Structures are given as structure tokens and as C-alpha cells.
Amino acid sequence: MSKERARRRAERLAVLEKEKAARARKVARRQRRRVLVRRLRPRPLGSAGRLHRRSRPQRIGIVVVPLVAAIAVWLLVPDVPLRIVLTAMIVIAVPALVVLVLGKRS
């Protein structure tokens, strides 16, 4: 009788070990898949756009310098069409100047 119980117990333990090994394989496969998906998925840039990659003084400069230039254009240039053209040039030139002066950050 005790040999029969021992045999049944051994069978139960063998089945439990197989199930545990299957679960471990499934968990490992899921983990590998998650790592692969994280590696392949592009990283989000964040809600602040690309400005969050720069320091606070740089961000302040990126905003203040073009504003001061635009205000100077509107105060010092008497011709309205020329003011509009110069302001448009400031808006177009600022991104390129930021990259040239501060460098590209990735």
C-alpha cells in the first residue's frame, strides 16, 4: 500500500514538475518577446517635444532671442511689408541657428 502511494505521489510530482517547466518556458518566452518589442519600438519623445532635451537656459534662449529680434524688427523698421518678411525670416532661421549654435541633441 505504501509503495502504491509513493508511486502515485511520484507521478503527481512528475506532472507538477512538467507543468512548472512549461510555465517557466512560457514566462521566459514572454520576457524575451517583451525585451525584443521594447528594443524595436521607437522611444517616445515626450510631451514637451524636442525642447526637453536642452537645459533650462538653452530653452529660455531659444524663446527669448527670436522674440527680442522680432520686437527689434517691429520697432526699428518703418516699412510694414519689410517687417513681415524679416519676421518670417527669423521664424524660418531659428531652428537652423539653434542646431548650429547649440548642436544637435538626440
Side-chain angles (χ1 to χ4, degrees), residues 38-100:
R38 277 192 197 129
R39 204 177 309 148
L40 293 177
R41 191 180 322 157
R43 290 183 178 89
L45 294 175
S47 61
R50 294 187 183 264
L51 286 178
H52 73 284
R53 296 184 180 169
R54 304 207 179 267
S55 68
R56 184 180 296 270
Q58 287 175 335
R59 286 182 287 178
I60 291 171
I62 290 170
V63 172
V64 169
V65 170
L67 280 177
V68 169
I71 291 170
V73 164
W74 281 87
L75 291 177
L76 300 176
V77 176
D79 193 24
V80 174
L82 183 58
R83 287 178 183 173
I84 294 171
V85 169
L86 290 174
T87 305
M89 287 180 63
I90 290 170
V91 168
I92 292 171
V94 165
L97 291 174
V98 166
V99 170
L100 286 174

Side-chain angles (χ1 to χ4, degrees), residues 3-35:
K3 286 184 182 183
E4 181 67 24
R5 271 190 288 163
R7 185 183 59 77
R8 280 194 232 141
R9 184 171 171 215
E11 288 174 3
R12 272 196 324 267
L13 288 176
V15 169
L16 285 175
E17 284 297 319
K18 283 182 183 179
E19 290 173 359
K20 187 188 281 188
R23 272 195 308 268
R25 283 193 306 270
K26 192 181 274 188
V27 167
R29 186 176 27 215
R30 190 179 308 137
Q31 190 68 19
R32 285 192 308 267
R33 193 177 323 127
R34 281 183 186 161
V35 168

